[in-house]
Amino acid sequence: MKIVILPGDGIGSETMACTVEALQALSQRFKLDLELQHDIAGHASLQAHGTTVTPALVEKVRAADGLMLGPMATYEFKDEINPSMFFRKTLDLHANIRPARSYPGMEARFGALDLVVVRENTEGFYADRNVESGSSEMLITPDVVISLRRITRHCCERIARSAFELAMTRKKHVSIVHKANVLKIGDGMFIDICREVGREFPQVLVDDFIVDAMMAHVVRAPQRFDVIVTTNMFGDILSDLTAELSGSLGLGGSLNAGANYAMGQAIHGSAPDIAGKNIANPFSSILSAGMLLAWHGQRKGLPAFIEANAAIEQAVATAVEARQVTRDCGGSLGTRETGQAFAARLLAG
Ligand code: ATP
């Protein structure tokens, strides 16, 4: 399997270095024959090549079997391409899968949980992916802005299908999250289509929640949820909350998956407040890499890749329980030391 590695901004170089170490250890233990192709995007590419994503990089990514993208400091971009948006859109990675679970030995502040947020990734309230050309956020006068949200049957259908298929492998429960009391047409359509697709999966229990009420429900009783399907912006916000409920934003894995390609990308951003301090938790990035391996394994029928992901999940649980982790999870190790201990654990089996 060829994986392109793009470390990204802020804490990205630190967390991606640990991810590479983990992937090398897994390749050795499970004989995965991984070929890691290192390149740059974002600020590093802007400095070196004058653009955040070069055409040569796009070719390289397309020719590979998967991509690991580090966090991007998108706030600082002006007219530059946002690589995170660019790859999601160009590779049509419609489903952003964001699991969150609690771990033994680490207090889950609001109770145990094991859920997955399935977030639509290619339209919604994201001004940079809704229109063929330009942006769907407009400055009408110096004092008036209009931001448009796009919702289409096609994207609703495919994200609903991803959610129900996932639910069939889990506890068979899908919760639809929306704001149909206000966005009556768009979110009304989203709910209708999710329920329509749900009828093809009669074993799956379906319910729905208004997004604001969902914040209270998920904090009050996160254990009642299994798969949560929602539109782009709601999913982005909700999944940061569920990752934090699991113990830390640094524990949230995330996969951007399409029909023919997938990209692992930690749930968190570039975290400039802790960048360069050797304190960022690398597990979000490592868990995302594991999800990428599992996606490849399922698609190609390669059990070793699925086992490698299971080994990552198990080793994260063991590391968290043993406090061999960064301080956001109650440990005292640095990023580098957490990554080294983790790779050694993976190799030892
Ligand atoms: P960006 O603008 O790139 O989204 P941000 O700082 O606004 O960056 P995040 O990077 O998601 O957003 O960080 C939110 C908070 O969570 C910050 O306080 C950050 O330090 C913390 N955080 C994020 N990632 C990690 C991590 N891997 N380990 C520990 N703390 C993290």
Side-chain angles (χ1 to χ4, degrees):
M1 180 186 189
K2 286 184 196 156
I3 305 176
V4 177
I5 305 281
L6 304 173
D9 303 319
I11 58 174
S13 54
E14 300 164 74
T15 54
M16 196 62 87
C18 299
T19 307
V20 165
E21 239 179 308
L23 285 171
Q24 284 165 340
L26 287 168
S27 189
Q28 195 174 323
R29 177 168 152 205
F30 290 94
K31 309 208 173 353
L32 304 180
D33 198 18
L34 294 183
E35 183 184 327
L36 306 182
Q37 303 182 334
H38 299 267
D39 213 314
I40 50 173
H43 285 90
S45 174
L46 191 61
Q47 268 184 352
H49 308 301
T51 173
T52 51
V53 180
T54 63
L57 176 62
V58 178
E59 286 313 303
K60 186 188 259 187
V61 167
R62 281 191 192 282
D65 300 296
L67 167 63
M68 275 305 299
L69 181 66
M72 292 291 154
T74 47
Y75 265 131
E76 294 166 18
F77 293 147
K78 292 190 179 70
D79 295 325
E80 291 87 10
I81 298 168
N82 166 6
S84 177
M85 173 282 295
F86 178 83
F87 287 118
R88 288 173 187 194
K89 197 170 160 178
T90 308
L91 302 167
D92 205 17
L93 308 177
H94 72 272
N96 187 198
I97 314 287
R98 296 185 153 186
R101 53 161 291 199
S102 44
Y103 288 91
M106 190 170 153
E107 194 197 349
R109 274 165 288 176
F110 297 92
L113 71 150
D114 180 4
L115 57 80
V116 185
V117 175
V118 176
R119 162 195 176 196
E120 204 291 320
N121 220 9
T122 48
E123 56 175 16
F125 234 137
Y126 277 70
D128 57 3
R129 63 203 70 171
N130 277 340
V131 289
E132 188 63 34
S133 167
S135 158
S136 62
E137 187 167 47
M138 288 155 279
L139 191 63
I140 305 299
T141 74
D143 302 317
V144 179
V145 177
I146 294 182
S147 310
L148 298 174
R149 188 178 80 134
R150 189 182 73 169
I151 300 291
T152 60
R153 170 167 287 277
H154 173 61
C155 292
C156 293
E157 264 174 15
R158 61 185 186 172
I159 198 62
R161 197 163 300 284
S162 297
F164 280 96
E165 282 171 0
L166 180 63
M168 287 300 288
T169 68
R170 295 175 47 93
K171 290 174 269 174
K172 299 188 174 60
H173 177 192
V174 169
S175 303
I176 306 164
V177 170
H178 60 86
K179 186 77 182 171
N181 52 332
V182 175
L183 299 163
K184 290 182 198 286
I185 306 174
D187 273 6
M189 184 168 92
F190 180 69
I191 297 176
D192 287 349
I193 293 173
C194 285
R195 289 201 175 268
E196 217 171 279
V197 171
R199 284 195 275 282
E200 295 170 32
F201 301 83
Q203 306 94 317
V204 178
L205 172 76
V206 188
D207 47 21
D208 70 80
F209 297 87
I210 294 178
V211 65
D212 43 336
M214 183 66 177
M215 298 297 140
H217 288 302
V218 89
V219 168
R220 195 182 300 152
Q223 65 282 355
R224 68 186 274 202
F225 297 102
D226 177 23
V227 174
I228 300 168
V229 65
T230 189
T231 50
N232 201 341
M233 183 78 81
F234 296 158
D236 187 27
I237 299 166
L238 178 60
S239 58
D240 266 30
L241 174 65
T242 52
E244 192 62 32
L245 289 179
S246 83
S248 167
L249 204 49
L251 286 174
S254 160
L255 187 74
N256 300 270
N260 301 309
Y261 207 92
M263 170 174 92
Q265 185 184 22
I267 193 170
H268 55 75
S270 61
D273 54 334
I274 57 169
K277 296 183 178 163
N278 195 36
I279 57 174
N281 188 334
F283 286 162
S284 177
S285 177
I286 292 174
L287 285 162
S288 307
M291 292 175 77
L292 179 60
L293 297 182
W295 177 85
H296 183 74
Q298 273 151 13
R299 216 164 142 258
K300 302 266 175 174
L302 300 168
F305 284 79
I306 297 167
E307 286 162 30
N309 177 45
I312 285 192
E313 289 179 357
Q314 182 53 52
V316 168
T318 311
V320 169
E321 190 162 17
R323 296 277 191 269
Q324 286 204 331
V325 66
T326 43
R327 65 190 193 189
D328 57 304
C329 288
S332 57
L333 297 187
T335 309
R336 252 189 321 276
E337 295 70 26
T338 301
Q340 282 159 359
F342 191 77
R345 179 173 285 116
L346 285 179
L347 267 181

